[in-house]
Amino acid sequence: MTQPFSKTRNSNKSTSKSNKSTGFGNAAGNKLAGSAKAQARSSKPHNRVDNKTRAKPKTVANPVIVLFNKPFDVLCQFTDEQGRKTLKDFIPIPGVYAAGRLDRDSEGLLLLTNDGKLQSQITEPKKKTYKTYWAQVEGKPTEADLEKLRQGVELKDGMTLPAQINIMHKPEIWDRTPPIRERANIPTTWLEIQICEGRNRQVRRMTAHIGFPTLRLIRYKIGQWSLDDLQNGDYRQLDMKNKPV
């Protein structure tokens, strides 16, 4: 790489001397050196992984799907160094992992599976798998308030997609331990909210954005799967023989 520059110096001594005082000789040499280095770098193989070549989630021969009605104050993981309650305290089935998450202070449906393709389908926003939540909020939102969520609202991490939301009667559900803190002079309202995103604490942030903080949050449905009569703290393993996922 240094040979062309040596040859130039030997054959053009007078030119080099005249340029030395102005700095043009050094600038030209640096420019040529930089160009050569850039060409050398471009010719080297790189280790970047193209999105198109990433490994696709694998489909297993014998898929396992477990529906779990997660209680309040349970982590969506199987281990915890701090000794808090985890999935291990409720689900003895090996090889399954949560498809998506449910906050520690939220309750309801959690889907676990050993099928990577199904996990991807549920967790990727572009797949648009709808989740249905029952949210008990403080106060009495009007239709005008709810319309803001139907149109999408601006949160710190960007605009939300339009939500499907309606006021509902209080559902017949289990008691929470501990119970929520209700203020005697402020009523509460139950909302049914359907979204296809999965941002961190999204439903809570959405209701707080329009002025009605969520006191209790229960996920009732994920795609085609729902709680139905599954009791809080119980799980159900689905029979997937000859059934498409």
Side-chain angles (χ1 to χ4, degrees), residues 27 34 42 67 75 101-102 120 131 146 163-164 186 196 200 202 223 227:
S42 64
L67 306 183
L75 296 172
R101 297 187 64 82
L102 193 58
S120 175
K131 294 97 175 173
L146 301 183
Q164 300 176 30
I186 300 180
C196 62
N200 184 44
Q202 182 173 344
L227 283 178

Side-chain angles (χ1 to χ4, degrees), residues 11 35 38 73 75 101 136 146 149 158 196 205-206 208 213 216:
S11 59
S35 176
D73 201 30
L75 296 172
R101 297 187 64 82
Q136 185 181 10
L146 301 183
L149 299 183
C196 62
R205 291 191 290 142
M206 286 168 57
R216 187 177 183 185

